[in-house]
Structure formats: structure tokens, C-alpha cells
Amino acid sequence: MGRSSVFTFQYIAIDTEAGVTPEEFETFVRGEGVHLPLYPGWRWTLLRGLRGERTGQYLMLFEIESAEQRDRYVTARGEQTEPARQFWARHPEAEAVLARWRQLGTYAELPTLFTDYRLLADNPRSTVTPGPRYRDRPGEESVARVVGIHNLALRAGVTEEVFDRFIAENHHRIDDYPDWRFHVLKGERGNRLDQYVMMMEIASLDALDVFYPEPDIATGEAAVFAAAHRDTKQMYEEWKQLASFSGSPQIYTDYLAVAENPA
């Protein structure tokens, strides 16, 4: 995925009233759900909330290679296009799996709440390399990345144009913690349209705990890193003059990846 990527968040719920457990749902998704056909240029990761607003709840993170690939299959209202209907008609074998998924909980389709974001900036120097957010295969190293979704808000009198320009001109000054990678996203459509989000992709739960083992409580390692990267710290202070930053008091959820469609 590149700078033209689009990210879609789909809010998922399991049917706990019918006795569905998180273990049952995740086992199904990893065993059967991941084999559902996927539109070209799309990938998804199922995330479970670790801490924050949606602890214990699920989100499907779709990463799509371009807005054109998104729009080919989904309208601005979140409805299937004609090419999407044709795609599913070519895959009748998916119906049984989709039916089972819908018995266990909601799927990434209306009336599920969703938001589409476009990528404003990220850090190509990060040590988090492209690859799976979740992997658990025999003979391969296991992967379960953390994805932090932190909502941002502009200060009074600050326009989107001013903030967008600041990010475009200054994001290169950011050095991430080791095994962390930031993405600044801007909401552009959906029925839970959060304007800006800082999405942190972290290589593992251990890599999160090195710097933030508890919500909003930084470790000594975080202070040492900030002291060694003063321009990054200064850039964040300039950012805070225009908008809120990640973490409290803004709404956020840190999620753990629990399933992903295979590449």
C-alpha cells in the first residue's frame, strides 16, 4: 500500500445475547472468515479493543490501495455497486460462510457503522515494515500487531486547510518509537465521520508496553526517546497549537489484531 491508500473502519459486534463468545467468533473468523473472497486491491484485519473507548469490541480495518478501487465496489453511502454485486455473484460459495458470520455477529456491511479515511501522512522511516498485521501459521513467526485509533480535534479558529498544510510540511520531522509507525488520516465519508485520526501501527504488544504499558502513562524509555529526538518533540508542541494530540482527553482505542485475510 502507498500514499494513495484509503482506510475504512467498520464497527463490528458479536451476538452475546445468543451466547456467542469472543473465542468462538475469533476462531470462526481465523478458520473460515479469512477465506472469504476479497475485492482486488483490498485487505482487511479484524481488531479487538485492548483499552480505551471500545475495549473488548471489534473493528474491521480495511486498507484499500486507492479511492478508485474503493469507489468501484462501494458507494459513498456504503452500498454495493453493480461491479460488487457481480463480484459476489461469481462467488456463490461465499454465501454459507457469510451466513454463519451473520449468525455470530455483524459483518462489514450496512447497517454497520463505518468511516472512510484518506491518508494525509505517514512515516516511511519507521521500523514497522509492510506485512501482515496478524499471522499464526505453523513454521512462521507469529504476528499480532497493535493498531491505535486516536481521534483528533482542531482548535477553535483553525481551519482544515491550515492543519492539512502543517501536516504536509512537517510530518517528516517525526521519528517514531522503535517498532511504531504513525498515520495521519482524514475522514471523508461514512456514518460515523470522525474528522481526523492518528492511527498508530505497533509491531507487537511488547513494543507498546515498552513505552506505554498503561493508558497515557509513559515509561522512562519514552522520556529518554523524547530527549534524544528534540525536533520531533518540538513538532508535537507546534501541532498542539493547532489541534489535539493522541491520547487523553480525546477518544481513542488501542486494538490488537486477531485475524487477517491471507495475502
Side-chain angles (χ1 to χ4, degrees):
M1 297 292 178
R3 293 301 301 276
S4 62
S5 294
V6 173
F7 296 83
T8 297
F9 300 166
Q10 297 270 355
Y11 294 85
I12 302 297
I14 60 174
D15 192 354
T16 55
E17 290 184 351
V20 177
T21 65
E23 293 77 14
E24 179 183 10
F25 178 62
E26 292 174 24
T27 297
F28 161 77
V29 175
R30 286 194 288 261
E32 300 180 55
V34 294
H35 300 299
L36 284 168
L38 198 61
Y39 302 134
W42 290 50
R43 64 180 284 208
W44 61 257
T45 309
L46 180 67
L47 307 171
R48 182 194 341 116
L50 275 173
R51 61 194 189 189
E53 178 195 22
R54 305 190 72 250
T55 300
Q57 299 183 57
Y58 292 96
L59 178 124
M60 284 183 75
L61 168 62
F62 287 88
E63 187 173 352
I64 309 165
E65 66 183 19
S66 67
E68 290 74 22
Q69 281 298 91
R70 176 199 58 192
D71 296 346
R72 176 169 173 77
Y73 298 103
V74 180
T75 73
R77 289 174 50 85
E79 298 172 339
Q80 290 183 0
T81 63
E82 182 57 31
R85 289 188 286 272
Q86 294 172 4
F87 176 89
W88 289 109
R90 293 194 297 271
H91 296 280
E93 74 284 357
E95 278 304 314
V97 179
L98 287 170
R100 177 59 177 156
W101 189 310
R102 292 167 183 142
Q103 287 178 337
L104 298 174
T106 60
Y107 185 65
E109 60 190 355
L110 295 178
T112 295
L113 295 175
F114 77 96
T115 309
D116 284 355
Y117 295 89
R118 62 181 172 89
L119 179 65
L120 288 186
D122 67 351
N123 183 7
R125 300 192 309 277
S126 168
T127 58
V128 177
T129 57
R133 297 188 174 101
Y134 178 87
R135 182 178 62 209
D136 187 14
R137 299 175 183 168
E140 297 185 40
E141 183 180 0
S142 296
V143 176
R145 292 184 175 180
V146 175
V147 178
I149 309 294
H150 293 232
N151 296 78
L152 308 176
L154 301 182
R155 288 189 177 275
V158 177
T159 65
E160 294 179 29
E161 291 76 16
V162 167
F163 184 66
D164 291 0
R165 184 168 61 250
F166 171 80
I167 294 297
E169 294 176 353
N170 291 279
H171 73 271
H172 66 278
R173 298 165 60 190
I174 297 177
D175 282 299
D176 288 311
Y177 296 135
D179 292 330
W180 290 48
R181 182 172 184 173
F182 80 89
H183 304 74
V184 182
L185 310 180
K186 184 175 182 178
E188 58 180 15
R189 69 188 200 184
N191 45 29
R192 180 178 169 172
L193 189 56
D194 302 315
Q195 188 177 37
Y196 292 95
V197 158
M198 170 78 95
M199 186 178 87
M200 301 301 306
E201 184 163 353
I202 305 169
S204 66
L205 186 56
D206 287 343
L208 169 65
D209 289 346
V210 167
F211 299 100
Y212 284 90
E214 298 180 62
D216 300 306
I217 306 298
T219 63
E221 285 85 351
V224 169
F225 185 91
H229 297 83
R230 295 188 180 277
D231 191 49
T232 294
K233 180 66 172 175
Q234 177 59 34
M235 187 272 189
Y236 290 160
E237 294 305 316
E238 295 168 18
W239 176 322
K240 292 173 186 176
Q241 300 305 305
L242 302 175
S244 61
F245 197 62
S246 63
S248 294
Q250 299 302 330
I251 293 172
Y252 72 92
T253 305
D254 291 335
Y255 294 90
L256 182 68
V258 296
E260 182 168 289
N261 68 294

